[in-house]
Amino acid sequence: MREELRRKAGEAWAFRTRVEREAARRFARLAAAIAAFDADSPVPALMRQAAEDEHRHAALCADLSALYGQPAGASAEDAAIAPGSLAPRAAVLYEVVASCCITETESVATLTTLLAEQLEPRVERVLREIAGDEVVHGRIGWAHLAREASISDVSFLSPWIPAMLAGTVDEGLFAAAGADLESRELLRHGVLPHSLKRSIFVGTLEGVVFPGLEKFGISSLPARQWLSNPAARSQLG
Ligand SMILES: [Fe+2]
Ligand SMILES: [Fe+2]
C-alpha cells in the first residue's frame, strides 16, 4: 500500500476512534439526563448499553488506526450540543435526534455501503461488528423521539434540523475534493471516496431521516432548503 494512502486510512480510523469515544460519553450523559425526567423510560438503560458498545467500537477503531501507523490519541470531548435557548428537556431531545436519529442512521448507511465492497478481512470484521450495534443505536433515538412526541409537540425541532446537519458533516463535504480524497483504493481499507460519502449522506436524509422526522410532525422543509442552498450552509458552518 502506498505510504500516502496508508496515512489517509490511518487518519480516518483515528478520527473514527475519537468519534466513538465521544459517542460513549454522550450516551452515558444522555442516559442520566433522561432518567432524571422520565423515570419509566426504557431509553436510559439502552443508552448505557450503547455507551459500552461505543467503548468497544473505539478500541476496535484504535487497533486499526495503529495498524495503519496512526495511533489514535486518548482524547474525547463531550460538550452538550443543543442551543442554549432550549429548555433542558428539549435540549436533550435535540441531542438525541442529532446524535441517534441523524448520526447513527447515517453511520449505518455508510457501513452498509462499505460492507458491500471488497474489504481487507480485518477491516471487514470491525465494520461488521460496529454496523450491528449502530442499527440499535439509531432505534434508541427514534424510540425516545416517539416517547416525547406522545406527550408533547416536537415540531419545534424543525428549524433546528439544519444546525444538526451542519454539526454532523465535515465542512468540506459539499465542496469538490482533490483526487486523493476521491481515491477508490481506500475503499478496501474502510474509507469512502468523498463524492460517494456525500451522495450517501444526502440519500439517507431523503430516504430515511426526513420521512422518519415527518412522522412526528417535524417538517423537513428547513433542512431541505439547507441542503439545496450553499449560502445557507456556509452560514451555519
Ligand atoms: Fe459506534
Ligand atoms: Fe453508535
Side-chain angles (χ1 to χ4, degrees):
M1 180 176 194
R2 282 196 288 122
E3 198 40 49
E4 173 69 6
L5 287 180
R6 188 173 135 83
R7 190 174 56 79
K8 283 241 151 34
E11 283 169 359
W13 283 104
F15 176 75
R16 279 182 198 153
T17 306
R18 201 161 62 239
V19 171
E20 298 285 4
R21 284 193 186 124
E22 288 172 5
R25 293 186 54 181
R26 187 183 314 110
F27 271 127
R29 176 170 52 80
L30 290 173
I34 293 169
F37 62 67
D38 188 0
D40 297 330
S41 173
V43 169
L46 296 169
M47 284 186 166
R48 282 192 290 272
Q49 175 60 53
E52 282 175 35
D53 295 340
E54 306 294 17
H55 280 303
R56 188 161 34 81
H57 298 173
L60 292 167
C61 293
D63 286 348
L64 281 178
S65 72
L67 199 70
Y68 287 106
Q70 298 280 329
S75 70
E77 309 261 319
D78 177 41
I81 53 166
S85 59
L86 293 178
R89 187 162 177 163
V92 168
L93 183 59
Y94 178 108
E95 281 204 75
V96 172
V97 168
S99 60
C100 294
C101 303
I102 297 176
T103 305
E104 296 279 0
T105 305
E106 289 288 351
S107 166
V108 170
T110 300
L111 293 165
T112 307
T113 306
L114 283 168
L115 283 166
E117 296 289 329
Q118 195 69 42
L119 297 167
E120 291 295 319
R122 258 185 294 218
V123 170
E124 181 174 0
R125 268 198 303 277
V126 168
L127 291 179
R128 215 169 274 293
E129 175 163 352
I130 293 179
D133 296 327
E134 308 297 31
V135 172
V136 177
H137 300 172
R139 285 194 201 125
I140 297 173
W142 295 108
H144 181 67
L145 177 59
R147 211 173 151 86
E148 292 297 79
S150 73
I151 56 158
S152 67
D153 183 357
V154 294
S155 62
F156 73 90
L157 284 174
S158 170
W160 293 113
I161 307 296
M164 295 181 195
L165 298 179
T168 305
V169 298
D170 29 322
E171 305 122 57
L173 187 67
F174 292 93
D180 54 336
L181 282 172
E182 286 298 351
S183 166
R184 290 191 63 87
E185 274 178 85
L186 280 171
L187 265 171
R188 60 184 302 109
H189 304 284
V191 183
L192 287 174
H194 186 76
S195 52
L196 183 54
K197 207 166 159 182
R198 178 171 54 224
S199 67
I200 292 170
F201 178 74
V202 174
T204 304
L205 288 178
E206 289 174 344
V208 186
V209 175
F210 292 165
L213 294 173
E214 303 271 0
K215 267 193 242 160
F216 298 104
I218 303 167
S219 166
S220 63
L221 200 64
R224 288 178 195 278
Q225 280 164 349
W226 179 84
L227 268 184
S228 62
N229 182 348
R233 282 203 307 272
S234 64
Q235 237 174 33
L236 278 167

